[in-house]
Amino acid sequence: MPKRANSFPEEVLEYVFSFIQTDQDRSSISTVCKSWYEIERWCRRRIFIGNCYAVSPRMLIRRFPDVRSIELKGKPHFADFNLVPEGWGGYVYPWIAAMASAYPWLEEIKLKRMVVTDETLELIAKSFKNMKLLVLSSCEGFSTDGLAAIAANCRNLRELDLHESDVEDLSGHWLSHFPDTYTSLVSLNIACLGSELSFSALERLVARCPNLRSLRLNRSVPLDRLANLLRLAPRLTDLGTGAYSAEWRPDVFAILSRAISGCKELKSLSGFWDVVPSYLPAIYSICPGLTSLNLSYATIQSPALVKLVSQCPNLQRLWVLDYIEDVGLDALAESCKDLRELRVFPSDPFVVEPNVSLTEQGLISVSEGCPKLHSVLYFCRQMSNDALITIARNQPNFTCFRLCIIEPKIPDYLTLQPFDVGFGAIVENCKNLRRLSVSGLLTDQAFDYIGTYGKKLEMLSIAFAGDSDLGLHHILSGCDNLRKLEIRDCPFGDKALLANAAKLETMRSLWMSSCSVSYGACKLLGQRLPRLNVEVIDERGHPESRPENSPVEKLYIYRSVAGPRFDMPGFVWTMDEDSALRVT
Amino acid sequence: MEDQLNFKATELRLGLPGSSEEHENKKAATSPPIPKNNKRASPDSAAEECSTSSNLIDAPPTKTQVVGWPPIRSYRKNSLQLREAYVKVSVDGAPYLRKIDLKVYNSYPELIKALEKMFNLANINGSDFAPTYEDKDGDWMLVGDVPWNMFVSSCKRLRIMKGSEARGLSTCF
């Protein structure tokens, strides 16, 4: 008599499983036994696909028949910096088309770095009556016409977030397509839109949506219209202003201050394009409650910034331009003891000499003064190993450390040495480091440290660094938890890749551009590892037209159960089992 | 060749004496650029140089740009510049105005070259012409005094002056 795998009815197990939410745990449950696999797949509601080409829509639907929330990511991260040519891929339409019939009850769609068309948006608007959340992060390919379709049809929409997408802005009238009966808006982020919005439509929309908690306007919304909007939405917790500038008028200032102080629940502020410093005090009243402040578009100088941040003792996240300078970061370290995340962006990255006094000292100060600081993105022009060692000692809790020394390959400005020991200290001391971006002059030794100590590292970004294949070998053989590796302009080649080929199947993806990986090695990898898609990107024409040992321009390798993709443009080739034998 | 030499002699060049066409090199390098230590001259020394050399204005040198470096998203790069950098350009004596997008250019020499081409003029920075612009405050300024990025964000319109007025402005040569 066969042993029964479980004595609970399915419904009970399903109920128990509903408390288990993370993908990893869900995945673990599904491997216990066949019946648990079956039960789990019928009740999984949330899906995260980190690489849209790792699996196909058909496979997703076949395994999970009733999904309510999907998150998909498309292009590799380096697409953010124009390293992925136009037309590479990441089209979401096939997914939407497949889900339109399979998941009529889909409620949430989150896309990142994908190509979304107006046709796609129209299909979403038509197919999913229960659509509640649409997040298009760093996406492109659609226009405000597509948004109009969403506005007109998604009666249950709660959240529309266009986070930094590239939208063809045909007109601001799309907002008027939200019907008068539509009142469910909770969150709207349209900060990336270029043109003027229809203000009256915006005001009417805000006025009739009592649950609105997050509103991120675009630059076109002038300061003198902000007060009106805030009066209509006093329960906002997250506000992105439009252009924060106007001619100085005390009455406008007074009205604005009053309106802002009426928003007693504001926790997060952003926007602040074209800031006129005299209007900044209008936000002082709510500063004590702020946990998140994005001033990374505010071209104001250090004194004004210092005045502002010193009134925000509860700040957890700050994004700011390097106008804050070392002196401002000292003040930040003094005032904001709850700071968790800091990003300092360069105001003028293309000028050779520093235009502001922001050095390694600023980062030392915050690492010392902010005990909860765990995530940093820091652009600067000089750094020293001593500073990095001090920073690592001050703050062993970093989970994300991204340092961008603006000039490639420059050494420690004090000793003229590479930054090997500095980054070595970071990885050795910060035992929970999950994400690391390195810069400056680095030898293979740096990667030896990273491979030795970066055991929890999941994502690593490298540029203009290393001496030889040994560097890459240290990483691939040492970093046990590596999921994403992206490399540009490094002398890494065939040997390290071929020696660690199996490692690539344990990672989500590897990007290498302007390195020394030969076409022959790519073919070999593609042939040997059928569960990897080895894609060569080369805009100089088919790699067969060049010698086997000639390096490819760009290489993107990712694991996939869907096999090679079929939507590649003319400058991308998949190396598969047949490619080694194929003759052009 | 002779013409070129003459052209160079009267050309308003934006760089230290002796520095040549570095600014005009826009090619995206595949290997990292070796940083040249062209220090930005302080405002005082720039003024002194004004009266002694023909290389007038020291704008801070921008290095050859490598694609995608430093790693800043284009969204952010675009946001920090002007949303629209289209400005009207008038030339004294020309029958109509033109419009150009300042964002397209990376430096003063590039802009000057483009203007010369657009209006078919040989020597905008020679003795007969002076490029001027109206800034955010409504004042008319001589092109070239401030760093390029600052110029782009404050320039509202351009006017290429001609004749005696222009000669007055070019006395720094």
Side-chain angles (χ1 to χ4, degrees), chain A residues 81-82 138 164 194 219 296-297 345-346 348-350 352 379 404 406-407 463 488-489, chain B residues 30 32-33 35 37 61-63 66-76 79 83 149:
Chain A
F81 316 125
N82 300 332
S138 306
E164 296 185 2
R219 202 167 182 167
S296 62
Y297 301 105
F345 295 96
D348 204 348
F350 302 115
V352 172
F379 283 82
C404 181
I406 289 176
E407 187 63 39
R488 62 162 297 176
D489 294 90
Chain B
T30 47
N37 198 12
T62 56
K63 55 186 193 203
V66 176
V67 173
W69 190 266
I72 302 164
R73 301 198 50 217
S74 0
Y75 175 79
R76 184 167 293 282
S79 293
R83 262 191 311 147
N149 288 324

mmCIF file of all heavy atoms in Angstrom, chain A residues 81-82 138 164 194 219 296-297 345-346 348-350 352 379 404 406-407 463 488-489, chain B residues 30 32-33 35 37 61-63 66-76 79 83 149:
data_model
loop_
_atom_site.group_PDB
_atom_site.id
_atom_site.type_symbol
_atom_site.label_atom_id
_atom_site.label_comp_id
_atom_site.label_asym_id
_atom_site.label_seq_id
_atom_site.Cartn_x
_atom_site.Cartn_y
_atom_site.Cartn_z
ATOM 1 N N PHE A 81 23.466 52.586 -18.844
ATOM 2 C CA PHE A 81 24.573 53.461 -19.209
ATOM 3 C C PHE A 81 24.860 53.388 -20.699
ATOM 4 O O PHE A 81 25.995 53.570 -21.134
ATOM 5 C CB PHE A 81 25.808 53.123 -18.371
ATOM 6 C CG PHE A 81 25.492 52.916 -16.917
ATOM 7 C CD1 PHE A 81 25.855 51.744 -16.268
ATOM 8 C CD2 PHE A 81 24.794 53.877 -16.199
ATOM 9 C CE1 PHE A 81 25.533 51.540 -14.931
ATOM 10 C CE2 PHE A 81 24.458 53.685 -14.866
ATOM 11 C CZ PHE A 81 24.831 52.507 -14.229
ATOM 12 N N ASN A 82 23.838 53.095 -21.468
ATOM 13 C CA ASN A 82 23.933 53.084 -22.927
ATOM 14 C C ASN A 82 24.897 52.045 -23.486
ATOM 15 O O ASN A 82 25.395 52.217 -24.594
ATOM 16 C CB ASN A 82 24.360 54.465 -23.464
ATOM 17 C CG ASN A 82 23.373 55.545 -23.068
ATOM 18 O OD1 ASN A 82 22.204 55.280 -22.867
ATOM 19 N ND2 ASN A 82 23.862 56.748 -22.937
ATOM 20 N N SER A 138 12.140 52.264 -15.624
ATOM 21 C CA SER A 138 13.171 52.337 -16.672
ATOM 22 C C SER A 138 12.759 51.621 -17.946
ATOM 23 O O SER A 138 13.566 50.967 -18.594
ATOM 24 C CB SER A 138 14.492 51.731 -16.173
ATOM 25 O OG SER A 138 14.887 52.328 -14.976
ATOM 26 N N GLU A 164 11.137 56.703 -13.957
ATOM 27 C CA GLU A 164 12.278 56.944 -14.844
ATOM 28 C C GLU A 164 12.189 56.273 -16.205
ATOM 29 O O GLU A 164 13.201 55.946 -16.812
ATOM 30 C CB GLU A 164 13.592 56.550 -14.144
ATOM 31 C CG GLU A 164 13.839 57.425 -12.928
ATOM 32 C CD GLU A 164 15.176 57.189 -12.251
ATOM 33 O OE1 GLU A 164 15.968 56.357 -12.726
ATOM 34 O OE2 GLU A 164 15.409 57.853 -11.223
ATOM 35 N N GLY A 194 7.869 64.519 -19.823
ATOM 36 C CA GLY A 194 8.512 65.758 -20.225
ATOM 37 C C GLY A 194 7.586 66.935 -20.377
ATOM 38 O O GLY A 194 7.933 68.058 -20.046
ATOM 39 N N ARG A 219 8.309 67.880 -13.863
ATOM 40 C CA ARG A 219 8.953 69.188 -13.793
ATOM 41 C C ARG A 219 8.040 70.328 -14.242
ATOM 42 O O ARG A 219 8.193 71.471 -13.817
ATOM 43 C CB ARG A 219 10.180 69.153 -14.683
ATOM 44 C CG ARG A 219 11.232 70.152 -14.367
ATOM 45 C CD ARG A 219 12.466 69.748 -15.136
ATOM 46 N NE ARG A 219 13.583 70.614 -14.883
ATOM 47 C CZ ARG A 219 14.834 70.331 -15.241
ATOM 48 N NH1 ARG A 219 15.089 69.201 -15.857
ATOM 49 N NH2 ARG A 219 15.806 71.168 -14.983
ATOM 50 N N SER A 296 18.511 64.893 -5.488
ATOM 51 C CA SER A 296 19.558 64.648 -6.483
ATOM 52 C C SER A 296 19.385 65.436 -7.769
ATOM 53 O O SER A 296 20.208 65.350 -8.664
ATOM 54 C CB SER A 296 19.676 63.159 -6.781
ATOM 55 O OG SER A 296 18.473 62.667 -7.329
ATOM 56 N N TYR A 297 18.322 66.214 -7.863
ATOM 57 C CA TYR A 297 18.192 67.131 -8.994
ATOM 58 C C TYR A 297 18.273 68.578 -8.533
ATOM 59 O O TYR A 297 18.111 69.506 -9.322
ATOM 60 C CB TYR A 297 16.874 66.885 -9.742
ATOM 61 C CG TYR A 297 16.783 65.477 -10.264
ATOM 62 C CD1 TYR A 297 15.968 64.539 -9.654
ATOM 63 C CD2 TYR A 297 17.574 65.071 -11.337
ATOM 64 C CE1 TYR A 297 15.930 63.238 -10.103
ATOM 65 C CE2 TYR A 297 17.543 63.781 -11.793
ATOM 66 C CZ TYR A 297 16.713 62.857 -11.175
ATOM 67 O OH TYR A 297 16.688 61.571 -11.619
ATOM 68 N N PHE A 345 25.516 61.958 -5.961
ATOM 69 C CA PHE A 345 25.694 61.977 -7.408
ATOM 70 C C PHE A 345 26.578 63.150 -7.819
ATOM 71 O O PHE A 345 26.585 64.186 -7.173
ATOM 72 C CB PHE A 345 24.336 62.100 -8.106
ATOM 73 C CG PHE A 345 23.434 60.917 -7.890
ATOM 74 C CD1 PHE A 345 22.473 60.935 -6.889
ATOM 75 C CD2 PHE A 345 23.549 59.785 -8.680
ATOM 76 C CE1 PHE A 345 21.647 59.844 -6.667
ATOM 77 C CE2 PHE A 345 22.724 58.686 -8.470
ATOM 78 C CZ PHE A 345 21.768 58.723 -7.461
ATOM 79 N N PRO A 346 27.286 63.020 -8.941
ATOM 80 C CA PRO A 346 28.169 64.103 -9.369
ATOM 81 C C PRO A 346 27.399 65.194 -10.107
ATOM 82 O O PRO A 346 26.557 64.903 -10.941
ATOM 83 C CB PRO A 346 29.131 63.400 -10.329
ATOM 84 C CG PRO A 346 28.336 62.275 -10.902
ATOM 85 C CD PRO A 346 27.332 61.871 -9.862
ATOM 86 N N ASP A 348 28.891 67.573 -11.932
ATOM 87 C CA ASP A 348 29.552 67.896 -13.194
ATOM 88 C C ASP A 348 30.614 66.842 -13.496
ATOM 89 O O ASP A 348 31.801 67.090 -13.337
ATOM 90 C CB ASP A 348 30.184 69.285 -13.102
ATOM 91 C CG ASP A 348 30.364 69.917 -14.467
ATOM 92 O OD1 ASP A 348 30.216 69.197 -15.485
ATOM 93 O OD2 ASP A 348 30.655 71.126 -14.523
ATOM 94 N N PRO A 349 30.171 65.672 -13.888
ATOM 95 C CA PRO A 349 31.106 64.558 -13.998
ATOM 96 C C PRO A 349 32.118 64.666 -15.129
ATOM 97 O O PRO A 349 33.100 63.947 -15.139
ATOM 98 C CB PRO A 349 30.188 63.355 -14.223
ATOM 99 C CG PRO A 349 28.922 63.917 -14.745
ATOM 100 C CD PRO A 349 28.794 65.280 -14.209
ATOM 101 N N PHE A 350 31.867 65.568 -16.086
ATOM 102 C CA PHE A 350 32.738 65.571 -17.262
ATOM 103 C C PHE A 350 33.823 66.621 -17.218
ATOM 104 O O PHE A 350 34.581 66.772 -18.157
ATOM 105 C CB PHE A 350 31.896 65.694 -18.529
ATOM 106 C CG PHE A 350 30.889 64.579 -18.638
ATOM 107 C CD1 PHE A 350 29.538 64.833 -18.590
ATOM 108 C CD2 PHE A 350 31.323 63.266 -18.734
ATOM 109 C CE1 PHE A 350 28.617 63.792 -18.665
ATOM 110 C CE2 PHE A 350 30.415 62.223 -18.804
ATOM 111 C CZ PHE A 350 29.057 62.491 -18.775
ATOM 112 N N VAL A 352 37.348 67.881 -15.704
ATOM 113 C CA VAL A 352 38.502 67.157 -15.169
ATOM 114 C C VAL A 352 38.788 67.525 -13.713
ATOM 115 O O VAL A 352 38.971 66.672 -12.858
ATOM 116 C CB VAL A 352 39.758 67.421 -16.031
ATOM 117 C CG1 VAL A 352 41.005 66.847 -15.377
ATOM 118 C CG2 VAL A 352 39.574 66.816 -17.411
ATOM 119 N N PHE A 379 29.900 59.008 -5.662
ATOM 120 C CA PHE A 379 30.754 59.446 -6.759
ATOM 121 C C PHE A 379 31.741 60.466 -6.204
ATOM 122 O O PHE A 379 31.335 61.434 -5.563
ATOM 123 C CB PHE A 379 29.926 60.141 -7.852
ATOM 124 C CG PHE A 379 29.149 59.209 -8.741
ATOM 125 C CD1 PHE A 379 27.929 58.700 -8.330
ATOM 126 C CD2 PHE A 379 29.632 58.858 -9.998
ATOM 127 C CE1 PHE A 379 27.208 57.845 -9.154
ATOM 128 C CE2 PHE A 379 28.909 58.014 -10.832
ATOM 129 C CZ PHE A 379 27.696 57.503 -10.411
ATOM 130 N N CYS A 404 32.180 55.095 -6.979
ATOM 131 C CA CYS A 404 32.600 55.435 -8.325
ATOM 132 C C CYS A 404 33.588 56.585 -8.271
ATOM 133 O O CYS A 404 33.212 57.746 -8.100
ATOM 134 C CB CYS A 404 31.403 55.814 -9.194
ATOM 135 S SG CYS A 404 31.937 56.205 -10.874
ATOM 136 N N ILE A 406 35.549 58.900 -10.243
ATOM 137 C CA ILE A 406 35.145 59.334 -11.580
ATOM 138 C C ILE A 406 36.157 59.052 -12.681
ATOM 139 O O ILE A 406 35.790 58.630 -13.778
ATOM 140 C CB ILE A 406 34.730 60.818 -11.540
ATOM 141 C CG1 ILE A 406 33.387 60.911 -10.783
ATOM 142 C CG2 ILE A 406 34.598 61.412 -12.928
ATOM 143 C CD1 ILE A 406 32.898 62.310 -10.570
ATOM 144 N N GLU A 407 37.427 59.279 -12.403
ATOM 145 C CA GLU A 407 38.429 59.049 -13.431
ATOM 146 C C GLU A 407 38.832 57.577 -13.405
ATOM 147 O O GLU A 407 39.245 57.058 -12.368
ATOM 148 C CB GLU A 407 39.647 59.927 -13.135
ATOM 149 C CG GLU A 407 40.694 59.920 -14.214
ATOM 150 C CD GLU A 407 40.187 60.478 -15.537
ATOM 151 O OE1 GLU A 407 39.426 61.457 -15.511
ATOM 152 O OE2 GLU A 407 40.542 59.910 -16.583
ATOM 153 N N ALA A 463 34.803 47.867 -13.683
ATOM 154 C CA ALA A 463 35.115 48.637 -14.889
ATOM 155 C C ALA A 463 36.571 49.063 -14.862
ATOM 156 O O ALA A 463 37.068 49.500 -13.828
ATOM 157 C CB ALA A 463 34.224 49.870 -14.967
ATOM 158 N N ARG A 488 33.148 45.728 -17.644
ATOM 159 C CA ARG A 488 33.428 46.449 -18.883
ATOM 160 C C ARG A 488 34.877 46.885 -18.900
ATOM 161 O O ARG A 488 35.442 47.232 -17.855
ATOM 162 C CB ARG A 488 32.498 47.655 -19.052
ATOM 163 C CG ARG A 488 32.672 48.689 -17.954
ATOM 164 C CD ARG A 488 32.091 50.026 -18.334
ATOM 165 N NE ARG A 488 32.748 50.615 -19.473
ATOM 166 C CZ ARG A 488 32.362 51.751 -20.043
ATOM 167 N NH1 ARG A 488 31.328 52.395 -19.570
ATOM 168 N NH2 ARG A 488 33.013 52.237 -21.084
ATOM 169 N N ASP A 489 35.480 46.844 -20.079
ATOM 170 C CA ASP A 489 36.832 47.370 -20.262
ATOM 171 C C ASP A 489 37.838 46.789 -19.280
ATOM 172 O O ASP A 489 38.587 47.539 -18.617
ATOM 173 C CB ASP A 489 36.805 48.907 -20.139
ATOM 174 C CG ASP A 489 36.022 49.538 -21.278
ATOM 175 O OD1 ASP A 489 34.791 49.722 -21.134
ATOM 176 O OD2 ASP A 489 36.644 49.797 -22.319
ATOM 177 N N THR B 30 37.521 53.591 -26.839
ATOM 178 C CA THR B 30 37.253 52.258 -26.310
ATOM 179 C C THR B 30 38.232 51.935 -25.201
ATOM 180 O O THR B 30 38.010 51.058 -24.391
ATOM 181 C CB THR B 30 37.367 51.175 -27.399
ATOM 182 O OG1 THR B 30 38.574 51.423 -28.110
ATOM 183 C CG2 THR B 30 36.190 51.255 -28.352
ATOM 184 N N PRO B 32 40.352 53.630 -21.910
ATOM 185 C CA PRO B 32 40.122 54.801 -21.067
ATOM 186 C C PRO B 32 41.071 55.942 -21.408
ATOM 187 O O PRO B 32 42.223 55.697 -21.765
ATOM 188 C CB PRO B 32 40.380 54.294 -19.656
ATOM 189 C CG PRO B 32 41.190 53.075 -19.826
ATOM 190 C CD PRO B 32 40.848 52.492 -21.150
ATOM 191 N N PRO B 33 40.596 57.158 -21.311
ATOM 192 C CA PRO B 33 41.444 58.307 -21.634
ATOM 193 C C PRO B 33 42.482 58.519 -20.546
ATOM 194 O O PRO B 33 42.219 58.284 -19.372
ATOM 195 C CB PRO B 33 40.458 59.466 -21.653
ATOM 196 C CG PRO B 33 39.365 59.034 -20.748
ATOM 197 C CD PRO B 33 39.296 57.547 -20.844
ATOM 198 N N PRO B 35 44.171 60.908 -18.255
ATOM 199 C CA PRO B 35 43.792 62.267 -17.837
ATOM 200 C C PRO B 35 44.914 63.261 -18.088
ATOM 201 O O PRO B 35 46.061 63.015 -17.750
ATOM 202 C CB PRO B 35 43.524 62.116 -16.341
ATOM 203 C CG PRO B 35 44.198 60.865 -15.939
ATOM 204 C CD PRO B 35 44.298 59.994 -17.140
ATOM 205 N N ASN B 37 46.415 66.849 -17.240
ATOM 206 C CA ASN B 37 46.277 67.729 -16.101
ATOM 207 C C ASN B 37 46.119 69.175 -16.520
ATOM 208 O O ASN B 37 46.985 70.006 -16.284
ATOM 209 C CB ASN B 37 47.473 67.537 -15.165
ATOM 210 C CG ASN B 37 47.164 68.095 -13.801
ATOM 211 O OD1 ASN B 37 46.031 68.418 -13.501
ATOM 212 N ND2 ASN B 37 48.184 68.248 -12.989
ATOM 213 N N PRO B 61 38.542 72.429 -19.015
ATOM 214 C CA PRO B 61 38.611 71.426 -20.078
ATOM 215 C C PRO B 61 37.751 70.213 -19.735
ATOM 216 O O PRO B 61 37.719 69.781 -18.595
ATOM 217 C CB PRO B 61 40.093 71.051 -20.123
ATOM 218 C CG PRO B 61 40.679 71.531 -18.850
ATOM 219 C CD PRO B 61 39.785 72.545 -18.259
ATOM 220 N N THR B 62 37.059 69.715 -20.727
ATOM 221 C CA THR B 62 36.322 68.476 -20.524
ATOM 222 C C THR B 62 37.104 67.387 -21.220
ATOM 223 O O THR B 62 37.648 67.598 -22.283
ATOM 224 C CB THR B 62 34.915 68.563 -21.123
ATOM 225 O OG1 THR B 62 35.026 68.904 -22.497
ATOM 226 C CG2 THR B 62 34.104 69.625 -20.423
ATOM 227 N N LYS B 63 37.168 66.223 -20.620
ATOM 228 C CA LYS B 63 37.976 65.171 -21.212
ATOM 229 C C LYS B 63 37.181 64.422 -22.265
ATOM 230 O O LYS B 63 35.964 64.552 -22.362
ATOM 231 C CB LYS B 63 38.457 64.230 -20.131
ATOM 232 C CG LYS B 63 37.299 63.708 -19.348
ATOM 233 C CD LYS B 63 37.747 62.893 -18.185
ATOM 234 C CE LYS B 63 36.501 62.188 -17.715
ATOM 235 N NZ LYS B 63 36.380 61.749 -16.486
ATOM 236 N N VAL B 66 34.061 58.739 -22.569
ATOM 237 C CA VAL B 66 33.942 57.311 -22.802
ATOM 238 C C VAL B 66 32.459 56.952 -22.693
ATOM 239 O O VAL B 66 31.773 57.452 -21.808
ATOM 240 C CB VAL B 66 34.746 56.548 -21.719
ATOM 241 C CG1 VAL B 66 34.559 55.068 -21.862
ATOM 242 C CG2 VAL B 66 36.206 56.948 -21.787
ATOM 243 N N VAL B 67 31.987 56.078 -23.600
ATOM 244 C CA VAL B 67 30.572 55.708 -23.558
ATOM 245 C C VAL B 67 30.215 55.103 -22.208
ATOM 246 O O VAL B 67 30.898 54.209 -21.716
ATOM 247 C CB VAL B 67 30.258 54.693 -24.684
ATOM 248 C CG1 VAL B 67 28.839 54.180 -24.555
ATOM 249 C CG2 VAL B 67 30.464 55.337 -26.037
ATOM 250 N N GLY B 68 29.146 55.615 -21.623
ATOM 251 C CA GLY B 68 28.638 55.020 -20.402
ATOM 252 C C GLY B 68 29.506 55.195 -19.172
ATOM 253 O O GLY B 68 29.339 54.504 -18.184
ATOM 254 N N TRP B 69 30.427 56.137 -19.218
ATOM 255 C CA TRP B 69 31.248 56.359 -18.023
ATOM 256 C C TRP B 69 31.366 57.862 -17.749
ATOM 257 O O TRP B 69 31.597 58.612 -18.674
ATOM 258 C CB TRP B 69 32.654 55.767 -18.185
ATOM 259 C CG TRP B 69 33.375 55.783 -16.884
ATOM 260 C CD1 TRP B 69 34.223 56.759 -16.433
ATOM 261 C CD2 TRP B 69 33.231 54.833 -15.812
ATOM 262 N NE1 TRP B 69 34.634 56.476 -15.152
ATOM 263 C CE2 TRP B 69 34.034 55.285 -14.742
ATOM 264 C CE3 TRP B 69 32.507 53.651 -15.641
ATOM 265 C CZ2 TRP B 69 34.145 54.603 -13.542
ATOM 266 C CZ3 TRP B 69 32.616 52.974 -14.447
ATOM 267 C CH2 TRP B 69 33.422 53.445 -13.418
ATOM 268 N N PRO B 70 31.261 58.327 -16.524
ATOM 269 C CA PRO B 70 30.898 57.551 -15.343
ATOM 270 C C PRO B 70 29.461 57.026 -15.438
ATOM 271 O O PRO B 70 28.654 57.558 -16.196
ATOM 272 C CB PRO B 70 31.038 58.549 -14.190
ATOM 273 C CG PRO B 70 31.165 59.887 -14.781
ATOM 274 C CD PRO B 70 31.506 59.753 -16.208
ATOM 275 N N PRO B 71 29.177 55.988 -14.678
ATOM 276 C CA PRO B 71 27.876 55.317 -14.808
ATOM 277 C C PRO B 71 26.728 56.139 -14.233
ATOM 278 O O PRO B 71 26.335 55.993 -13.092
ATOM 279 C CB PRO B 71 28.079 54.013 -14.016
ATOM 280 C CG PRO B 71 29.135 54.323 -13.020
ATOM 281 C CD PRO B 71 30.032 55.334 -13.667
ATOM 282 N N ILE B 72 26.230 57.019 -15.071
ATOM 283 C CA ILE B 72 25.097 57.852 -14.674
ATOM 284 C C ILE B 72 24.008 57.633 -15.710
ATOM 285 O O ILE B 72 24.268 57.685 -16.909
ATOM 286 C CB ILE B 72 25.482 59.340 -14.670
ATOM 287 C CG1 ILE B 72 26.662 59.583 -13.719
ATOM 288 C CG2 ILE B 72 24.303 60.208 -14.259
ATOM 289 C CD1 ILE B 72 27.333 60.908 -13.950
ATOM 290 N N ARG B 73 22.794 57.384 -15.255
ATOM 291 C CA ARG B 73 21.714 57.117 -16.179
ATOM 292 C C ARG B 73 21.411 58.343 -17.031
ATOM 293 O O ARG B 73 21.482 59.470 -16.544
ATOM 294 C CB ARG B 73 20.474 56.700 -15.396
ATOM 295 C CG ARG B 73 20.708 55.458 -14.557
ATOM 296 C CD ARG B 73 19.429 54.822 -14.158
ATOM 297 N NE ARG B 73 18.607 54.676 -15.352
ATOM 298 C CZ ARG B 73 17.304 54.833 -15.376
ATOM 299 N NH1 ARG B 73 16.651 55.106 -14.274
ATOM 300 N NH2 ARG B 73 16.641 54.697 -16.494
ATOM 301 N N SER B 74 21.041 58.130 -18.284
ATOM 302 C CA SER B 74 20.755 59.276 -19.156
ATOM 303 C C SER B 74 19.606 60.096 -18.609
ATOM 304 O O SER B 74 19.566 61.310 -18.775
ATOM 305 C CB SER B 74 20.407 58.869 -20.585
ATOM 306 O OG SER B 74 20.448 57.517 -20.743
ATOM 307 N N TYR B 75 18.693 59.435 -17.929
ATOM 308 C CA TYR B 75 17.575 60.136 -17.302
ATOM 309 C C TYR B 75 18.107 61.226 -16.381
ATOM 310 O O TYR B 75 17.657 62.366 -16.404
ATOM 311 C CB TYR B 75 16.748 59.136 -16.511
ATOM 312 C CG TYR B 75 15.629 59.758 -15.729
ATOM 313 C CD1 TYR B 75 14.444 60.117 -16.357
ATOM 314 C CD2 TYR B 75 15.761 60.004 -14.376
ATOM 315 C CE1 TYR B 75 13.417 60.705 -15.642
ATOM 316 C CE2 TYR B 75 14.733 60.580 -13.659
ATOM 317 C CZ TYR B 75 13.559 60.925 -14.292
ATOM 318 O OH TYR B 75 12.551 61.506 -13.586
ATOM 319 N N ARG B 76 19.098 60.864 -15.616
ATOM 320 C CA ARG B 76 19.690 61.814 -14.660
ATOM 321 C C ARG B 76 20.500 62.872 -15.397
ATOM 322 O O ARG B 76 20.434 64.052 -15.088
ATOM 323 C CB ARG B 76 20.570 61.038 -13.679
ATOM 324 C CG ARG B 76 21.181 61.864 -12.583
ATOM 325 C CD ARG B 76 21.751 60.957 -11.498
ATOM 326 N NE ARG B 76 20.697 60.238 -10.803
ATOM 327 C CZ ARG B 76 19.917 60.774 -9.872
ATOM 328 N NH1 ARG B 76 20.098 62.022 -9.514
ATOM 329 N NH2 ARG B 76 18.979 60.064 -9.291
ATOM 330 N N SER B 79 18.156 65.323 -16.952
ATOM 331 C CA SER B 79 17.456 66.152 -15.969
ATOM 332 C C SER B 79 18.317 67.282 -15.457
ATOM 333 O O SER B 79 17.818 68.338 -15.118
ATOM 334 C CB SER B 79 17.023 65.305 -14.771
ATOM 335 O OG SER B 79 16.060 64.387 -15.163
ATOM 336 N N ARG B 83 15.961 71.286 -19.863
ATOM 337 C CA ARG B 83 14.991 70.443 -20.547
ATOM 338 C C ARG B 83 15.008 70.752 -22.024
ATOM 339 O O ARG B 83 15.061 69.901 -22.857
ATOM 340 C CB ARG B 83 13.601 70.675 -19.993
ATOM 341 C CG ARG B 83 13.190 69.658 -18.975
ATOM 342 C CD ARG B 83 11.743 69.777 -18.666
ATOM 343 N NE ARG B 83 11.383 71.154 -18.388
ATOM 344 C CZ ARG B 83 10.191 71.647 -18.704
ATOM 345 N NH1 ARG B 83 9.297 70.908 -19.281
ATOM 346 N NH2 ARG B 83 9.913 72.903 -18.406
ATOM 347 N N ASN B 149 28.919 74.362 -19.129
ATOM 348 C CA ASN B 149 27.625 73.902 -18.608
ATOM 349 C C ASN B 149 26.820 75.045 -18.009
ATOM 350 O O ASN B 149 25.600 75.089 -18.126
ATOM 351 C CB ASN B 149 27.819 72.799 -17.562
ATOM 352 C CG ASN B 149 28.268 71.518 -18.231
ATOM 353 O OD1 ASN B 149 27.850 71.201 -19.329
ATOM 354 N ND2 ASN B 149 29.134 70.787 -17.575
#
